[in-house]
Amino acid sequence: LLIQIIFLDRRNVQAKKLLEFSMGLKTGTYKVENMENKYWDMSSTHFYGGNYELALEDLKLYNLLDKDNPQTYERIGSCYYMMGDKKNAIENWNTSLFLDPDSQTIKAAIERTKQLMEEEKDANKERKKQREDRQKQAGAISGDTQLLGVFPSQSKAYAYAQKLREQGMTASVEETDGGKWAVKVPKSQIKKGQ
């Protein structure tokens, strides 16, 4: 910030003295440059290079210099989005939209991201339900079981288990210590003659 102040006003004695007393940097030992451009350019390089975390750090520093720039919040949101943090992406895009209410690109990005979050939520519910169903099925099988066959490959074991399921049995496939595949069914199903 102090270097940016000196860049904008070369005669600012206060900024020069703060650099000297707080950081031990006397006039002539530091390079005066446009820090705003430097951090924006670095954020671009990091962002388009795929290093979103470094781009985010650069943008946070840039934001100290220019808090009311909607492009900053747009890019911060895009960094969060690319890192998988959709909630923070939307928050920053909303700030960008507040600063530039006419941006159709940001409006579309927010809506699409909200839609993706809903789809992910639904998919997670479905995966959780499937996992619970598999656990229930495994619980039903894990009791007193009968080994019906050991196969050298996983595909052969699953093919045999599928045939048993088609006959109405609840079959499970487990890998043995020897690298083979065992097919088991509950003894209760065998006793019933299924």
Side-chain angles (χ1 to χ4, degrees), residues 113-145:
T113 304
K114 285 180 179 178
Q115 182 182 357
L116 284 173
M117 289 173 71
E118 283 300 315
E119 290 171 6
E120 287 173 359
K121 186 178 174 183
D122 293 342
N124 286 337
K125 283 181 185 178
E126 182 61 29
R127 280 192 294 275
K128 183 179 178 184
K129 183 182 179 305
Q130 289 174 353
R131 185 173 46 248
E132 288 171 354
D133 290 346
R134 285 192 304 269
Q135 288 172 346
K136 285 179 186 176
Q137 183 180 9
I141 296 173
S142 67
D144 198 16
T145 59

Side-chain angles (χ1 to χ4, degrees), residues 56-117:
L56 193 56
E57 288 177 23
D58 295 334
L59 289 165
K60 287 180 180 179
L61 289 170
Y62 177 86
N63 200 29
L64 294 171
L65 302 169
D66 188 5
K67 287 190 178 290
D68 295 329
N69 185 343
Q71 291 176 332
T72 307
Y73 293 100
E74 179 180 348
R75 188 172 289 172
I76 289 173
S78 296
C79 285
Y80 279 121
Y81 181 86
M82 296 305 287
M83 293 188 302
D85 188 349
K86 292 177 180 71
K87 182 181 175 198
N88 274 326
I90 290 173
E91 287 176 9
N92 281 281
W93 287 336
N94 279 330
T95 303
S96 177
L97 194 58
F98 175 78
L99 296 170
D100 182 13
D102 298 328
S103 176
Q104 295 302 316
T105 305
I106 295 298
K107 287 178 186 177
I110 290 170
E111 289 307 312
R112 179 67 182 138
T113 304
K114 285 180 179 178
Q115 182 182 357
L116 284 173
M117 289 173 71

Side-chain angles (χ1 to χ4, degrees), residues 124-186:
N124 286 337
K125 283 181 185 178
E126 182 61 29
R127 280 192 294 275
K128 183 179 178 184
K129 183 182 179 305
Q130 289 174 353
R131 185 173 46 248
E132 288 171 354
D133 290 346
R134 285 192 304 269
Q135 288 172 346
K136 285 179 186 176
Q137 183 180 9
I141 296 173
S142 67
D144 198 16
T145 59
Q146 175 69 41
L147 177 65
L148 291 186
V150 177
F151 298 88
S153 71
Q154 182 182 15
S155 62
K156 289 182 180 180
Y158 277 108
Y160 182 65
Q162 182 62 31
K163 288 179 185 176
L164 294 173
R165 283 188 179 167
E166 289 170 0
Q167 295 173 10
M169 295 184 174
T170 308
S172 69
V173 178
E174 298 173 7
E175 187 174 12
T176 65
D177 291 335
K180 297 193 178 193
W181 298 86
V183 177
K184 299 179 181 181
V185 295

